[in-house]
């Protein structure tokens, strides 16, 4: 998938680059809406491209769900959108 190219398959990202979802739990403390916005619009100052025109909304939601399931925990994972 698009995500693993920068965030790596293990979710640790790259030093000085893509977010590390494993060691920095604040990344997944964001709401689903905030994560969806980052995926759709990108994060220009961090170098993350926008995927809103590349990935349908359902795939963006699936990406957020995957992040939470694979790298989240009960303390940092807000309830899902639906």
């Amino acid at each position: 998938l698009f995500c693993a190219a920068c965030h790596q398959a293990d979710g640790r990202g790259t030093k000085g680059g893509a977010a590390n979802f494993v060691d920095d739990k604040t990344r997944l403390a964001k709401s689903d809406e905030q994560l969806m916005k980052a995926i759709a619009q990108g994060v220009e100052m961090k170098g993350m491209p926008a995927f809103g025109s590349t990935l349908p909304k359902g795939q963006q939601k699936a990406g957020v769900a995957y992040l939470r399931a694979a790298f989240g925990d009960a303390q940092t994972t807000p309830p899902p959108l639906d």
Side-chain angles (χ1 to χ4, degrees), residues 6-31:
C6 297
H7 294 284
Q8 309 303 309
D10 66 1
R12 293 190 188 280
T14 55
K15 187 172 182 150
N20 180 335
F21 297 114
V22 176
D23 299 318
D24 184 356
K25 294 299 183 183
T26 64
R27 302 292 183 170
L28 294 179
K30 296 176 181 173
S31 69

Side-chain angles (χ1 to χ4, degrees), residues 1-79:
L1 278 181
F2 296 103
C3 307
C6 297
H7 294 284
Q8 309 303 309
D10 66 1
R12 293 190 188 280
T14 55
K15 187 172 182 150
N20 180 335
F21 297 114
V22 176
D23 299 318
D24 184 356
K25 294 299 183 183
T26 64
R27 302 292 183 170
L28 294 179
K30 296 176 181 173
S31 69
D32 286 352
E33 290 83 3
Q34 290 171 307
L35 293 172
M36 291 282 294
K37 182 178 178 182
I39 292 168
Q41 297 178 6
V43 184
E44 187 175 343
M45 67 183 169
K46 300 280 186 173
M48 180 173 165
F51 290 98
S53 62
T54 307
L55 294 174
K57 191 164 229 143
Q59 287 184 352
Q60 294 173 39
K61 281 183 163 184
V64 170
Y66 172 78
L67 287 174
R68 296 219 184 277
F71 309 116
D73 62 39
Q75 285 76 41
T76 61
T77 305

